[in-house]
Amino acid sequence: MSGTTDMILVNKDGKRIDGRTPDEHRDIKIEAGVLANADGSAYVEIGKNKVLAAVYGPRECHPRHLQDPTKAIIQCKYNMQTYSVSDRKRPGTDRRSVEISKITAEALEKVVLTELYPRASIDVYIEILQANAGTRCAGLTAASVALADAGIPMRDIVPAIAAGKADGYVLLDLNKEEDNFGQADVPMAIVPSTNEIVLLQMDGNMTREEFDKAIEMGVRGCHDVYKLQKEALLNRYSDGGDSDE
Amino acid sequence: MSKKIISEIRRDHIFNLLKEGKRSDGRKLDDFREIKFETGIIESADGSAVVEMGKTKVTAGVKIIPGTPFGDTPNLGVLTTGAELIPLAHPDFESGPPSPESIELARVVDRGIRESGMVDMSKLCIKEGEEVWMCFLDLYAINYDGNLFDAFNLASVLALKTAIIPNEQYGKGEDVPLPITCLPISVTSAKLGSSLILDPNFDEENISSARLTVTTDDDGNFRAMQKGGQGSITLDELSHCLDMAVAKGEEIRKLIG
């Protein structure tokens, strides 16, 4: 958001540097049930982002002082692998990943029927294999598919996508260049059946009008992602495949 | 800030009042508590402020020190924000490494200041690629009674607004004020049941299902947002939060002018 460039991010015809129109998302690929050991898992590619999510649980909650006698807690760990960005990322937890883990877990709380598993923990692990703007949304998208794949009762699946602004245009699903040199980024996630917002962040500079447009675009984008999430789950359980259930 | 316990009778009381559009301390839904502030409270800091919102009390201090710029921004100063929820401020706060809550607080406050361009970082360059001024903004909760997001934001803005670049101390000429371009103000709405309230106190904050922090600049444009909590907000509620953030943000900006 802070960088400057002479690069034209959106040309006169409203085409972006990767050929997309303003309200078009990147190619999305979602696969459910990709890890043998996890109770549920998913692999997501959004453009050049490559993300793995695994769910373990419901299982005994550690550390025990975090146990909630009325419901399960969701513990999320978002982690960027060292080679996922152009400079090597220092391994381990940093402040950014703590924040993303927190808001991801909070977004999932809304849909998971945690009250069915008192004192338990549902552990969600998100690994970013390759990052190209939009990893928190890709991570949450993968995590919700992994939760469904784990057979954990949920009210709905949570899709996530970012809207933003570059060269003065409101855009859906920013790529790396648009994210670095654009003017705003609005990652969001919704519960598709009600359009309620469960994750929302914003940074940059937007007028009310631009922001309203970004939200409208984001909600539509989320519904596109939702369709692909459902397809991935259907594929996993309909073609027999490598299912071990 | 692990799970705080609020008695059921108190919880019901608050929700029952909200149904009539009232709050337990007599405020309207979009009222802040009385805001008191003072700047320049710490002489050893290059900028400082204390802010009280009702019984919530926080301090902010800025230390400005010459250092090496980041490789990708050789001509820009550096801002680093930290928030500490020290055990002095509340029985539930513990010492030790920063909790996810304190990290989120610091990062949301930082985002508002950074994205609004409040501090003109390009004027903090001493020698391109070699030496820039680094602003270390540190926030401490002194007494916690809810709404640390807005209290920290306000204390940060006041501390930075009154901060001095300590040129003399480092043999670089005369002291000058930190270059400030605007006043980013955050307004946090909390959702309790189907009501949205501003400036939640401890009880309200801890029975709320979701919150939304919205930071606006002098023009009323949006610079940063963060939704938190395990609940959701509808699109209509979002719109209401934005309206309140713009209106109340302007009011607070006038207050600290």
Side-chain angles (χ1 to χ4, degrees):
Chain A
M1 225 66 6
S2 50
T4 48
T5 178
D6 300 330
M7 195 189 289
I8 293 166
L9 297 169
V10 185
N11 72 17
K12 289 188 295 287
D13 306 327
K15 277 268 168 23
R16 299 153 72 174
I17 50 172
D18 48 15
R20 286 184 287 155
T21 57
D23 60 352
E24 198 176 339
H25 58 70
R26 291 170 284 188
D27 285 340
I28 300 178
K29 183 183 145 192
I30 305 178
E31 200 180 332
V34 292
L35 298 172
N37 281 351
D39 295 312
S41 59
Y43 174 71
V44 168
E45 282 185 13
I46 299 183
K48 287 182 199 157
N49 292 296
K50 297 176 198 281
V51 175
L52 262 177
V55 169
Y56 284 84
R59 62 183 179 182
E60 193 176 341
C61 177
H62 289 288
R64 298 188 65 159
H65 70 88
L66 291 179
Q67 284 187 359
D68 186 330
T70 64
K71 63 181 189 62
I73 63 164
I74 297 179
Q75 301 193 84
C76 177
K77 271 240 148 54
Y78 164 101
N79 183 50
M80 279 185 118
Q81 299 191 335
T82 55
Y83 41 72
S84 63
V85 282
S86 57
D87 295 335
R88 177 172 185 266
K89 192 211 161 273
R90 270 174 51 134
T93 322
D94 56 14
R95 291 158 59 92
R96 175 178 173 275
S97 62
V98 170
E99 185 195 349
I100 294 177
S101 301
K102 181 173 186 283
I103 56 170
T104 304
E106 286 172 349
L108 294 168
E109 283 273 356
K110 178 72 190 176
V111 293
V112 176
L113 298 173
T114 50
E115 57 275 21
L116 297 178
Y117 307 103
R119 294 179 198 284
S121 172
I122 296 169
D123 300 330
V124 179
Y125 301 101
I126 297 169
E127 290 286 322
I128 310 300
L129 313 181
Q130 182 168 292
N132 196 262
T135 58
R136 71 195 65 190
C137 293
L140 177 52
T141 297
S144 8
V145 174
L147 279 167
D149 180 48
I152 293 171
M154 294 158 80
R155 294 180 181 87
D156 206 343
I157 309 171
V158 177
I161 204 156
K165 185 172 109 178
D167 280 357
Y169 288 85
V170 177
L171 305 174
L172 183 66
D173 190 24
L174 303 187
N175 61 33
K176 188 83 207 155
E177 291 74 17
E178 292 161 349
D179 188 35
N180 284 353
F181 305 120
Q183 294 95 45
D185 184 21
V186 187
M188 58 183 290
I190 62 167
V191 181
S193 52
T194 57
N195 276 353
E196 286 167 289
I197 296 168
V198 287
L199 181 145
L200 178 64
Q201 292 184 299
M202 183 257 166
D203 62 60
N205 187 1
M206 274 184 158
T207 63
R208 176 65 188 262
E209 208 179 315
E210 288 165 341
F211 183 76
D212 285 346
K213 195 170 169 197
I215 289 291
E216 192 199 316
M217 225 180 232
V219 168
R220 251 187 292 132
C222 280
H223 280 277
D224 289 344
V225 174
Y226 182 52
K227 223 178 277 166
L228 297 167
Q229 287 176 309
K230 284 195 291 191
E231 268 172 32
L233 286 163
L234 282 171
N235 284 341
R236 158 87 160 124
Y237 290 104
S238 59
D239 65 9
D242 57 351
S243 166
D244 53 8
E245 305 297 305
Chain B
M1 274 194 278
S2 55
K3 195 78 188 163
K4 312 287 191 304
I5 292 168
I6 309 287
S7 74
E8 227 153 274
I9 193 159
R10 177 130 204 98
R11 187 195 165 90
D12 291 347
H13 174 63
I14 294 173
F15 276 113
N16 286 335
L17 280 175
L18 278 175
K19 273 180 213 149
E20 302 163 30
K22 291 186 201 152
R23 290 166 78 171
S24 50
D25 53 11
R27 282 186 283 162
K28 289 198 298 249
L29 301 193
D30 61 350
D31 276 347
F32 266 63
R33 293 167 288 185
E34 190 191 354
I35 297 174
K36 292 187 202 157
F37 63 91
E38 196 184 337
T39 55
I41 49 157
I42 307 291
E43 285 154 41
S44 51
D46 299 309
S48 60
V50 58
V51 166
E52 288 176 57
M53 285 180 176
K55 280 188 255 170
T56 285
K57 183 173 183 176
V58 303
T59 57
V62 193
K63 278 290 207 183
I64 305 178
I65 297 164
T68 323
F70 290 117
D72 52 348
T73 52
N75 57 348
L76 297 181
V78 174
L79 172 72
T80 307
T81 309
E84 299 264 0
L85 304 180
I86 47 177
L88 166 142
H90 196 271
D92 294 345
F93 291 170
E94 289 168 10
S95 42
S99 60
E101 287 77 13
S102 72
I103 290 174
E104 186 183 22
L105 277 161
R107 286 180 61 84
V108 172
V109 171
D110 183 279
R111 205 170 291 151
I113 292 166
R114 190 178 301 277
E115 298 297 334
S116 68
M118 177 189 178
V119 181
D120 187 346
M121 291 294 177
S122 64
K123 292 198 179 138
L124 298 186
C125 182
I126 303 168
K127 186 156 189 236
E128 182 166 337
E130 283 178 27
E131 202 178 29
V132 296
W133 289 108
M134 312 182 69
C135 306
F136 293 90
L137 169 63
D138 287 294
L139 307 164
Y140 290 88
I142 302 296
N143 196 69
Y144 168 51
D145 188 24
N147 201 16
L148 288 173
F149 280 94
D150 296 346
F152 275 157
N153 170 265
L154 198 53
S156 304
V157 167
L158 286 163
L160 289 168
K161 180 173 170 273
T162 53
I164 298 291
I165 299 178
N167 279 317
E168 255 171 63
Q169 189 185 341
Y170 294 95
K172 296 179 187 298
E174 273 180 37
D175 288 355
V176 291
L178 191 65
I180 299 300
T181 67
C182 69
L183 303 176
I185 302 293
S186 80
V187 173
T188 301
S189 307
K191 179 173 167 180
L192 284 83
S194 57
S195 306
L196 288 168
I197 60 168
L198 296 187
D199 187 28
N201 62 28
F202 176 89
D203 290 339
E204 292 168 337
E205 185 163 291
N206 284 284
I207 58 173
S208 68
S209 61
R211 66 175 145 73
L212 182 70
T213 303
V214 178
T215 308
T216 52
D217 63 17
D218 293 1
D219 300 325
N221 289 338
F222 304 120
R223 297 302 190 127
M225 286 183 205
Q226 178 94 338
K227 181 253 164 193
Q230 299 176 352
S232 60
I233 41 178
T234 66
L235 293 170
D236 288 342
E237 286 164 350
L238 170 63
S239 174
H240 186 41
C241 290
L242 299 180
D243 290 341
M244 290 198 292
V246 171
K248 199 53 77 170
E250 201 181 322
E251 229 173 88
I252 295 174
R253 203 169 287 114
K254 272 193 196 127
L255 180 74
I256 64 164

